Amino acid sequence: ETGVTQSPTHLIKTRGQQVTLRCSSQSGHNTVSWYQQALGQGPQFIFQYYREEENGRGNFPPRFSGLQFPNYSSELNVNALELDDSALYLCASSLNSRNPGTEAFFGQGTRLTVV
Amino acid sequence: AQKITQTQPGMFVQEKEAVTLDCTYDTSDPSYGLFWYKQPSSGEMIFLIYQGSYDQQNATEGRYSLNFQKARKSANLVISASQLGDSAMYFCAMRGHLNAGGTSYGKLTFGQGTILTVHP
């Protein structure tokens, strides 16, 4: 186990609703990244938080937002859910670094289904 | 922009044999890292092996080795002595600078993945 936990593990929402996904990072890690993985695809980077501030974002609309708390846990919020938001959402924690080899530790993900 | 290409949607291998999973990449970053992850049906990404762009030697981790050819921009994963438990999805990924011209590293860019099936 990586020490990164995500909740809930599964979720079903209706189109137009809002959802909040949660991630507890590994102890000592101050950086959290979120990824969206559609079925049969590779994960796509949503955004990254470092010390409670967003410091990088992928090609996702503003209805995808996040928070990082002082204990470095994090939330991913998605407003106005669309059917295409159905995916596995992965959280990864790491130490922000100037070293490209910094390992990211992933949680088991939250599988979101939008109906 | 960074891009990872995995051209093999699926691969089959006999138990105890070796298999190579292909990965090519493209980046303008002078310094970057290349990763391979295994994703079983449970969904968790399991780190396998890492290669830095300035590493002189190919990385090895137990039965995993990375065939890194920088000039060809390829980073193929070799799994020796395949086991039934190796059956999973495998992703090649790259970490470069978080923002263009920046100094912090962050996001991973993943390929489409290769499904590996090990036959007894």
Side-chain angles (χ1 to χ4, degrees):
Chain A
E1 289 196 5
T2 64
V4 180
T5 57
Q6 293 186 243
S7 62
T9 54
H10 295 83
L11 200 55
I12 299 174
K13 287 286 191 177
T14 302
R15 188 173 50 182
Q17 284 188 317
Q18 179 266 343
V19 68
T20 297
L21 310 182
R22 294 178 175 83
C23 172
S24 293
S25 58
Q26 185 163 335
S27 177
H29 286 181
N30 54 22
T31 302
V32 173
S33 303
W34 285 91
Y35 294 83
Q36 180 195 66
Q37 186 179 15
L39 194 63
Q41 304 292 318
Q44 299 289 317
F45 175 73
I46 302 175
F47 45 55
Q48 176 171 292
Y49 278 81
Y50 169 64
R51 292 185 176 178
E52 302 178 56
E53 290 197 4
E54 183 183 298
N55 70 343
R57 189 176 184 93
N59 189 25
F60 281 81
R63 60 189 185 83
F64 285 78
S65 63
L67 282 173
Q68 187 180 31
F69 300 99
N71 65 356
Y72 302 135
S73 65
S74 177
E75 288 182 354
L76 164 65
N77 300 290
V78 187
N79 293 322
L81 282 166
E82 301 176 359
L83 297 179
D84 285 349
D85 295 334
S86 295
L88 179 69
Y89 288 85
L90 293 164
C91 162
S93 79
S94 61
L95 289 172
N96 194 28
S97 172
R98 296 173 182 246
N99 178 2
T102 300
E103 186 175 342
F105 294 84
F106 284 84
Q108 288 198 307
T110 294
R111 189 164 297 282
L112 172 66
T113 303
V114 182
V115 297
Chain B
Q2 300 160 13
K3 186 177 181 181
I4 296 284
T5 302
Q6 295 180 252
T7 57
Q8 305 156 315
M11 289 287 286
F12 295 89
V13 66
Q14 206 73 24
E15 192 178 9
K16 299 181 184 178
E17 292 187 348
V19 63
T20 297
L21 306 184
D22 293 342
C23 171
T24 58
Y25 63 91
D26 194 20
T27 182
S28 56
D29 278 330
S31 177
Y32 50 88
L34 294 157
F35 298 78
W36 276 92
Y37 285 88
K38 172 184 178 181
Q39 188 179 42
S41 57
S42 61
E44 183 178 357
M45 284 287 184
I46 301 169
F47 166 78
L48 296 178
I49 195 166
Y50 164 77
Q51 179 84 44
S53 59
Y54 287 111
D55 292 344
Q56 296 296 317
Q57 293 190 330
N58 287 343
T60 60
E61 289 282 353
R63 295 187 298 112
Y64 306 107
S65 60
L66 202 152
N67 184 1
F68 180 48
Q69 298 187 46
K70 193 171 182 178
R72 299 180 63 180
K73 294 188 175 180
S74 73
N76 298 339
L77 176 70
V78 180
I79 305 174
S80 64
S82 296
Q83 302 172 356
L84 295 178
D86 293 336
S87 293
M89 178 74 92
Y90 287 79
F91 288 99
C92 179
M94 166 186 290
R95 172 177 278 123
H97 286 112
L98 194 56
N99 300 300
T103 56
S104 291
Y105 290 91
K107 72 172 186 178
L108 288 163
T109 300
F110 288 84
Q112 295 286 79
T114 297
I115 300 175
L116 176 66
T117 303
V118 181
H119 290 301

